Amino acid sequence: MPAFLTRLARRVRATVAPIPDIGADLWLQTLHSYPFLSALPLADQGKLRALSALFLHRKEFTGAHGLVVTDAMAVAIAAQACLPLLHWGEPGQALAWYDDFVGIVVHPAEAVARRKAVDEAGVVHHYDEVLLGEAMQDGPVMLSWPAVQGAGREGHATSVVIHEFVHKIDMKNGGADGSPPLPPGFMGTANARAAHAAWRAAWEPAYEQFRERVIIAERFGGEWPWLDAYGATAPAEFFAVACEAYFVHRERFAQEFPTLLPVLDALFRPAQELQAK
């Protein structure tokens, strides 16, 4: 069957076919495995369960290098992937943010990607990059299963799933640059231009301050910041790493980045922001 007919058939099934539920035992197992999910209010847990079930109905999982993706693995990924969408309307509306792809490839360990870079002198360099995850523009998402399992463990505010799916959200208005599409009336602004100006006013100084802290730690032995230092490599990575911490350890994130907390609340909890006004 041609690819466009396959996509059409999938959309029809997603529209008219009943969505299977995630079994109670499997869902409780998932919540138990990830404390930042079990800490959600019961109403939000129910919404996340429904959203995750629809996500599983629309996506296709593939195990790399012989890995068998079990139901438990798929639900763990789905729940974390859907967490940023929890307050973005009905499940079908929210999941439209992930409509540019279907495939999720799960690796049994870190993946190694062959890269090419051209320096200022025009010399081409080839190198290997070790990856825990990767989100491709209009393409699939790759995840390392051990990294998925390690989300929120040992006090670390990390989730490779949230990281890569936030990149997908960021890519909705072009390449990932740390400036995602913003909801109407974002932080009380009157138009899109003002909304993005408010976004930049919060994120640009926070990113520069974080980069400076990482540089001091690397070069002069200063204290390493709590947030993953990978966020200092680019604004898009800082946004993704910050979102990991926001969802996995909200209280500590609020302490570390008090100026960014209301900005992320305005992005990920727009209904609550409007009710508060």
Side-chain angles (χ1 to χ4, degrees), residues 83-123:
L83 190 54
L85 309 181
L86 191 58
H87 301 290
W88 284 3
E90 294 302 314
Q93 173 189 350
L95 284 173
W97 285 85
Y98 298 155
D99 273 355
D100 65 309
F101 76 103
V102 173
I104 298 170
V105 182
V106 186
H107 285 250
E110 298 172 336
V112 179
R114 189 65 174 162
R115 302 298 198 199
K116 180 175 73 173
V118 182
D119 64 21
E120 295 180 355
V123 178

Side-chain angles (χ1 to χ4, degrees), residues 10-118:
R10 187 180 296 113
R11 288 173 184 169
V12 171
R13 287 198 303 271
T15 302
V16 303
I19 305 303
D21 188 22
I22 297 173
D25 289 345
L26 181 53
W27 184 246
L28 290 175
Q29 174 187 332
T30 303
L31 295 180
H32 178 74
S33 298
Y34 301 97
F36 59 94
L37 298 180
S38 63
L40 293 170
L42 289 178
D44 284 354
Q45 290 181 14
K47 288 171 60 178
L48 184 63
R49 182 177 175 183
L51 192 58
S52 300
L54 184 56
F55 177 93
L56 292 170
H57 189 65
R58 294 184 175 185
K59 303 305 179 190
E60 296 176 358
F61 289 81
T62 302
H65 307 293
L67 178 68
V68 176
V69 180
T70 65
D71 290 348
M73 294 165 67
V75 172
I77 292 169
Q80 294 178 68
C82 292
L83 190 54
L85 309 181
L86 191 58
H87 301 290
W88 284 3
E90 294 302 314
Q93 173 189 350
L95 284 173
W97 285 85
Y98 298 155
D99 273 355
D100 65 309
F101 76 103
V102 173
I104 298 170
V105 182
V106 186
H107 285 250
E110 298 172 336
V112 179
R114 189 65 174 162
R115 302 298 198 199
K116 180 175 73 173
V118 182

Side-chain angles (χ1 to χ4, degrees), residues 69-206:
V69 180
T70 65
D71 290 348
M73 294 165 67
V75 172
I77 292 169
Q80 294 178 68
C82 292
L83 190 54
L85 309 181
L86 191 58
H87 301 290
W88 284 3
E90 294 302 314
Q93 173 189 350
L95 284 173
W97 285 85
Y98 298 155
D99 273 355
D100 65 309
F101 76 103
V102 173
I104 298 170
V105 182
V106 186
H107 285 250
E110 298 172 336
V112 179
R114 189 65 174 162
R115 302 298 198 199
K116 180 175 73 173
V118 182
D119 64 21
E120 295 180 355
V123 178
V124 178
H125 300 272
H126 296 272
Y127 63 97
D128 291 332
E129 182 179 8
V130 177
L131 301 173
L132 300 180
E134 185 172 35
M136 291 167 239
Q137 183 83 45
D138 299 321
V141 172
M142 182 279 290
L143 299 166
S144 159
W145 175 244
V148 174
Q149 283 185 301
R153 301 290 170 84
E154 299 178 357
H156 297 299
T158 58
S159 166
V160 69
V161 179
I162 293 173
H163 185 108
E164 300 307 335
F165 279 82
V166 162
H167 277 322
K168 277 293 188 182
I169 292 170
D170 191 3
M171 292 173 183
K172 271 296 186 178
N173 57 357
D177 60 1
S179 184
L182 301 173
F186 177 78
M187 299 195 76
T189 54
N191 52 53
R193 183 175 181 179
H196 284 284
W199 180 270
R200 289 192 300 272
W203 284 89
E204 288 178 0

